[in-house]
């Protein structure tokens, strides 16, 4: 037993790590005793290179010994499990300690199997230096930054900026399911970012696994060499010993310049009650030290670096970040709204070129949020304020509705983003809300030359003074992968949703690949559910933003006793207005409670009523006290009741239950 190993074990048993001198950053070569994850190049949980009490000297890691990479995959293809195994393999976390999906911090991420927030973890790994040593047994410790990115297009504002901090990506594909829609979308995101892509076929331990078929799909779809594909099982550990060596040998080191002025890319931010805003950054050029003063290219504001370090996997102060390294900074920002994803941070009084590609968040789906109980507005306001501290991408403005009282108009990046926001409101802050019909931003042009962008249909005049001359609506490019036997029903569905077919090919004898241009409005509510239904759950679907296109649109109003309900206004295509209007009034008739007066439910386009339902009044039997007598007395009582009903109808208000809004979501 080496003296270093004996010292390490003695110190670990006595928990006196503070007495150990700094032994440097090249870890001892101790054989792995961790069953599945044995590797002659790795070091395991009993030989962690950097304990919590050992200083980390980042100056030992020049750019050529740094690799920045991400893992991208379709939902449920094993991305988070693979990330867990890599953290265990490098001794960053202990096997069996902590929770599964370690880098997915949010409850909604674990429940849905998706990644919402980009996370970063720094790992250290021993490996022979390729092409730099005559001795094949000589190895060096590499600093590996794993940037776990969201895979769904709704979070592409984080994905694209996170990929900008990487030089390579592991493209993970399920050995049984093969290439799916998000696999295609993620591949092209990485390809357009000029990343080195390493294909990884995961879950090869499954009985239905067919790696050869998946290799053929990767070759035909992306022209990826089957001989360079890694076969793994993140669950059992099979094949994992080849993953990190492939990362080191195939992915290039960061291209930054150490002697240039500081430039950092802001990857993510969140709010901590004790430290304030914590920003995840990638140092592209130069050096960042604690105490430095930096500025934001997006906002122009200046800050002082109060703390700086790496995520290993939690926050580990290092006092410095060097070129090519990824870590965190605490700079005294008061709100995450100051930390814009993709921003360039640089040293005060220096002149630098901002890093390319910074774009503000583009909101494509809008919805009203109101408390289920009108008296809970302040509680909802507090919950939204706390949640937006960690999600600055949501646009929030206060508004009021005649039907629902005080609430908020919220802008989201996409459908899943909106759904996740609602779920986090309920899970994390216990807020119960009513959501109005989701809508998308439209552009309307009038005869006087004016143009307006409409996010809330209630703000669009039903009878404008100027004639409407043109309308534009946003579209998406949808990718759909389905078993071959469902091609017919899917084509019919896309045609019903005003889709334009762009591509139609067969990936193999069993599955078809389709691309459609679809109006975003047509997929906002139930397109994915219907697609899953007609394909028995076997379809995969993803989409990306496309251009606006001209369309024939109208505003559809819902009237209760002649008064428009602003929260139920929506914008629909002219050809669908009558059908949607009829379905809406029929649904409302079922869910609105009867009152002491008659309720007339109407759907209108401008001044034209296109659908109507009547909810009869509840009536008291005013003739019950009449036992015979002149019929004129009975008529008098009935006329008096009728006049009373008219007065009640003029001044009475109609309460719309929460269930009615949920049903309207299904129709719209």
């Amino acid at each position: 037993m080496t003296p270093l190993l004996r010292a390490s074990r003695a110190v670990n048993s006595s928990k006196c790590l503070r007495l150990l001198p700094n032994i440097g950053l090249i870890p001892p070569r101790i054989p792995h005793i961790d069953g599945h994850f044995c590797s002659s190049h790795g070091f395991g949980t009993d030989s962690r290179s950097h304990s919590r009490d050992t200083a980390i000297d980042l100056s030992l890691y020049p750019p050529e010994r740094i690799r920045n990479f991400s893992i991208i995959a379709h939902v449920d293809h094993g991305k988070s499990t693979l990330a867990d195994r890599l953290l265990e393999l490098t001794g960053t976390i202990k096997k069996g300690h902590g929770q599964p999906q370690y880098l997915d911090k949010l409850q909604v991420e674990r429940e849905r199997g998706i990644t919402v927030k980009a996370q970063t973890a720094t790992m250290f790994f021993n490996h022979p230096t390729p092409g730099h040593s005559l001795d094949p047994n000589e190895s060096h410790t590499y600093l590996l930054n794993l940037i776990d990115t969201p895979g769904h297009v709704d979070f592409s504002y984080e994905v694209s900026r996170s990929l900008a901090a990487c030089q390579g990506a592991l493209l993970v594909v399920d050995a049984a399911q093969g290439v799916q829609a998000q696999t295609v979308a993620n591949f092209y995101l990485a390809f357009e970012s000029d990343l080195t892509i390493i294909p990884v076929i995961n879950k090869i331990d499954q009985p239905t696994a067919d790696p050869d078929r998946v290799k053929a799909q990767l070759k035909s779809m992306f022209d990826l060499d089957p001989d360079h594909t890694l076969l793994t099982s993140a669950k059992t550990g099979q094949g994992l010993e080849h993953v990190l060596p492939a990362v080191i040998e195939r992915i290039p080191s960061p291209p930054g310049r150490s002697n240039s002025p500081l430039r950092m890319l802001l990857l993510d931010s969140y709010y901590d009650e004790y430290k304030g805003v914590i920003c995840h950054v990638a140092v592209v050029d130069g050096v960042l030290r604690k105490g430095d003063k930096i500025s934001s290219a997006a906002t122009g504001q200046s800050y002082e670096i109060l703390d700086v370090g790496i995520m290993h996997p939690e926050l580990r102060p290092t006092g410095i970040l060097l070129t090519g390294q990824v870590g965190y900074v605490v700079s005294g920002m008061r709100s995450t709204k100051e930390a814009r994803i993709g921003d360039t941070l640089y040293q005060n009084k220096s002149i630098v070129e901002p890093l390319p590609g910074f774009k503000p968040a583009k909101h494509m789906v809008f919805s009203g949020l109101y408390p289920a109980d009108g008296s809970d507005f302040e509680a909802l306001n507090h919950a939204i304020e706390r949640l937006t501290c960690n999600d600055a991408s949501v646009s929030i403005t206060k508004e009021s509705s005649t039907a629902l009282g005080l609430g908020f108009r919220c802008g989201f990046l996409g459908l899943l983003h909106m759904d996740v926001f609602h779920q986090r409101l309920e899970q994390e802050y216990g807020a119960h809300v009513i959501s109005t019909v989701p809508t998308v931003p439209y552009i309307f042009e009038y005869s006087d030359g004016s143009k307006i962008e409409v996010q809330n249909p209630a703000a669009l005049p039903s009878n404008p003074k100027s004639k409407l001359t043109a309308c534009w609506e946003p579209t998406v490019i949808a990718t759909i992968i389905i078993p071959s036997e469902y091609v017919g029903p899917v084509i019919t569905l896309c045609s019903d949703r005003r889709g334009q077919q762009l591509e139609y090919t067969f990936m193999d004898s069993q599955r078809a690949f389709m691309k459609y241009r679809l109006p975003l409005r047509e997929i906002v509510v139930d397109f994915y559910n219907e697609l899953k239904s007609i394909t028995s759950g076997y379809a995969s679907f993803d989409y990306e933003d496309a251009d606006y296109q001209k369309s024939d649109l109208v505003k559809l109003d819902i009237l209760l006793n002649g008064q428009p309900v602003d929260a139920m206004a929506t914008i629909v295509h002219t050809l669908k207005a009558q059908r949607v209007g009829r379905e809406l009034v029929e649904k409302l008739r079922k869910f609105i409670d009867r009152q002491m007066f008659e309720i007339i439910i109407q759907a209108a386009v401008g001044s034209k009523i296109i659908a109507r339902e009547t909810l009869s009044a509840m009536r008291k039997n005013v003739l019950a006290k009449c036992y015979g007598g002149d019929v004129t007395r009975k008529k008098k009582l009935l006329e008096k009741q009728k006049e009373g009903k008219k007065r009640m109808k003029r001044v009475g208000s109609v309460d719309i239950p929460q269930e009615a809004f949920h049903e309207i979501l299904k129709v719209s």
Side-chain angles (χ1 to χ4, degrees):
M1 184 180 295
T2 65
L4 180 58
L5 180 55
R6 286 196 297 270
S8 176
R9 289 186 175 177
V11 170
N12 284 337
S13 62
S14 60
K15 298 181 180 179
C16 295
L17 285 174
R18 298 184 187 279
L19 302 179
L20 245 180
N22 187 349
I23 59 174
L25 287 178
I26 300 179
R29 296 180 188 171
I30 303 172
H32 227 331
I33 58 174
D34 196 6
H36 296 301
F37 306 116
C38 292
S39 170
S40 60
H41 305 308
F43 46 94
T45 56
D46 286 344
S47 58
R48 294 183 67 172
S49 61
H50 309 296
S51 72
R52 290 189 178 277
D53 298 299
T54 303
I56 297 178
D57 185 0
L58 294 182
S59 64
L60 298 178
Y61 300 94
E64 58 267 21
R65 283 169 57 189
I66 297 175
R67 300 292 184 271
N68 299 321
F69 70 102
S70 65
I71 305 177
I72 54 179
H74 186 80
V75 171
D76 200 33
H77 280 206
K79 177 170 70 75
S80 296
T81 305
L82 178 60
D84 286 351
R85 297 294 86 80
L86 296 182
L87 292 173
E88 292 173 358
L89 177 64
T90 57
T92 309
I93 62 175
K94 292 185 179 181
K95 184 183 179 184
H97 291 255
Q99 56 200 0
Q101 299 171 250
Y102 189 87
L103 294 180
D104 289 341
K105 307 294 186 183
L106 302 177
Q107 180 181 348
V108 65
E109 292 179 313
R110 298 192 184 91
E111 288 181 355
R112 289 171 169 255
I114 60 174
T115 299
V116 173
K117 296 290 289 181
Q119 300 290 342
T120 302
T122 298
M123 307 177 290
F124 298 90
F125 187 73
N126 265 350
H127 185 72
T129 304
H132 290 284
S133 176
L134 298 177
D135 183 3
N137 296 319
E138 182 180 350
S139 63
H140 292 285
T141 305
Y142 284 80
L143 187 154
L144 309 178
N145 287 310
L146 167 59
I147 303 175
D148 188 23
T149 60
H152 197 278
V153 67
D154 282 5
F155 304 99
S156 59
Y157 75 106
E158 288 195 20
V159 176
S160 58
R161 300 283 67 80
S162 298
L163 292 181
C166 299
Q167 285 73 50
L170 300 178
L171 180 66
V172 179
V173 185
D174 190 303
Q177 298 181 33
V179 173
Q180 300 288 309
Q182 286 180 24
T183 312
V184 178
N186 291 329
F187 170 82
Y188 285 109
L189 274 176
F191 184 77
E192 290 167 4
S193 299
D194 199 25
L195 302 189
T196 299
I197 299 173
I198 301 176
V200 179
I201 299 178
N202 193 29
K203 301 186 181 183
I204 60 173
D205 60 306
Q206 290 185 342
T208 56
D210 190 353
D212 291 336
R213 178 176 63 88
V214 179
K215 284 183 180 180
Q217 290 177 358
L218 291 171
K219 174 64 177 175
S220 64
M221 295 289 294
F222 312 128
D223 197 26
L224 294 176
D225 191 344
D227 295 334
H228 292 166
T229 302
L230 305 180
L231 303 180
T232 66
S233 169
K235 181 179 179 180
T236 66
Q238 183 180 353
L240 292 188
E241 67 274 9
H242 303 298
V243 175
L244 292 181
V247 168
I248 292 172
E249 293 168 7
R250 300 191 204 175
I251 295 177
S253 57
R257 299 182 296 273
S258 303
N259 55 357
S260 296
L262 172 69
R263 288 196 304 171
M264 295 188 298
L265 180 67
L266 202 161
L267 305 178
D268 193 17
S269 67
Y270 65 93
Y271 187 82
D272 182 88
E273 291 184 0
Y274 302 100
K275 294 178 177 290
V277 177
I278 297 177
C279 298
H280 291 188
V281 298
V283 179
V284 177
D285 296 314
V287 179
L288 176 71
R289 295 180 177 84
K290 182 178 179 179
D292 285 353
K293 290 182 170 56
I294 61 169
S295 295
S296 161
T299 66
Q301 298 189 47
S302 298
Y303 308 94
E304 180 179 352
I305 300 300
L306 307 176
D307 188 20
V308 59
I310 61 174
M311 284 71 73
H312 184 56
E314 307 302 331
L315 303 184
R316 291 287 306 277
T318 59
I320 193 172
L321 282 178
L322 302 164
T323 301
Q325 295 173 357
V326 177
Y328 75 91
V329 296
V330 179
S331 59
M333 290 185 182
R334 297 181 180 180
S335 167
T336 52
K337 293 181 180 179
E338 300 178 46
R340 300 187 183 179
I341 306 300
D343 190 9
T344 300
L345 303 177
Y346 60 95
Q347 211 141 25
N348 277 6
K349 299 181 180 179
S350 64
I351 300 175
V352 298
E353 183 72 20
L355 295 166
F358 170 69
K359 294 179 181 178
K362 184 180 180 181
H363 303 105
M364 295 305 296
V365 175
F366 294 85
S367 177
L369 285 184
Y370 297 87
D373 184 343
S375 62
D376 290 340
F377 173 77
E378 288 302 325
L380 177 60
N381 185 24
H382 181 64
I384 287 179
E385 284 181 355
R386 292 179 63 188
L387 183 53
T388 51
C389 280
N390 290 325
D391 191 355
S393 61
V394 182
S395 69
I396 304 288
T397 55
K398 293 183 180 179
E399 69 173 11
S400 61
S401 163
T402 55
L404 298 173
L406 292 175
F408 301 89
R409 173 64 45 174
C410 304
F412 303 98
L413 302 172
L415 311 178
L416 182 63
H417 188 209
M418 177 185 70
D419 196 15
V420 167
F421 187 84
H422 291 175
Q423 190 170 347
R424 291 181 67 188
L425 268 180
E426 293 184 0
Q427 287 182 347
E428 296 175 30
Y429 304 104
H432 300 287
V433 299
I434 295 175
S435 303
T436 63
V437 179
T439 186
V440 299
Y442 301 97
I443 297 176
F444 290 85
E445 183 177 359
Y446 294 93
S447 56
D448 60 0
S450 62
K451 287 185 180 181
I452 60 172
E453 181 179 297
V454 177
Q455 300 168 358
N456 182 1
L460 182 68
S462 301
N463 296 290
K465 297 179 181 178
S466 301
K467 182 181 179 181
L468 183 65
T469 56
C471 315
W472 286 270
E473 65 178 338
T475 63
V476 298
I477 303 298
T479 300
I480 304 172
I481 296 178
I482 53 173
S484 305
E485 60 265 32
Y486 298 111
V487 166
V490 171
I491 290 178
T492 301
L493 172 64
C494 293
S495 298
D496 291 343
R497 300 301 180 99
R498 300 187 284 130
Q500 174 192 357
Q501 190 178 97
L502 303 178
E503 189 175 344
Y504 172 33
T505 58
F506 284 91
M507 298 170 56
D508 51 37
S509 60
Q510 300 176 358
R511 294 201 299 165
F513 172 85
M514 309 171 76
K515 269 197 173 182
Y516 270 87
R517 179 186 292 274
L518 287 162
L520 179 58
R521 172 69 178 79
E522 296 291 342
I523 67 170
V524 161
V525 179
D526 67 340
F527 178 84
Y528 184 61
N529 291 339
E530 193 165 343
L531 177 66
K532 281 288 188 180
S533 177
I534 64 176
T535 60
S536 302
Y538 288 109
S540 66
F541 171 75
D542 203 353
Y543 67 91
E544 58 183 306
D545 295 337
D547 299 329
Y548 275 71
Q549 69 177 9
K550 258 188 177 181
S551 187
D552 191 2
L553 304 172
V554 292
K555 179 185 178 184
L556 179 64
D557 285 310
I558 298 297
L559 311 176
L560 295 181
N561 288 340
Q563 298 298 317
V565 182
D566 51 5
M568 291 188 173
T570 185
I571 295 173
V572 297
H573 193 270
T574 302
L575 297 177
K576 294 189 174 186
Q578 191 165 5
R579 177 185 64 80
V580 172
R582 189 182 307 112
E583 291 181 11
L584 285 176
V585 297
E586 288 175 357
K587 290 283 186 182
L588 284 175
R589 186 180 184 278
K590 294 177 182 178
F591 285 93
I592 293 179
D593 296 329
R594 292 176 66 192
Q595 309 286 327
M596 296 300 293
F597 52 88
E598 182 182 72
I599 301 175
I600 299 174
I601 308 169
Q602 297 170 310
V605 174
S607 57
K608 180 182 179 182
I609 304 299
I610 60 175
R612 169 179 170 147
E613 289 285 341
T614 302
L615 194 61
S616 59
M618 292 189 295
R619 294 183 60 185
K620 179 181 177 182
N621 187 2
V622 295
L623 304 181
K625 58 185 178 181
C626 297
Y627 299 97
D630 190 357
V631 70
T632 57
R633 184 184 177 201
K634 295 180 180 179
K635 289 183 177 179
K636 184 177 180 181
L637 289 173
L638 290 174
E639 287 296 326
K640 185 177 180 182
Q641 184 186 49
K642 185 177 179 180
E643 290 300 320
K645 297 291 185 185
K646 288 182 180 179
R647 287 195 300 272
M648 292 176 66
K649 186 176 179 179
R650 287 196 299 268
V651 301
S653 61
V654 181
D655 293 327
I656 304 173
Q658 185 174 353
E659 293 79 8
F661 285 92
H662 293 163
E663 290 300 317
I664 285 179
L665 290 182
K666 297 177 184 178
V667 175
S668 301

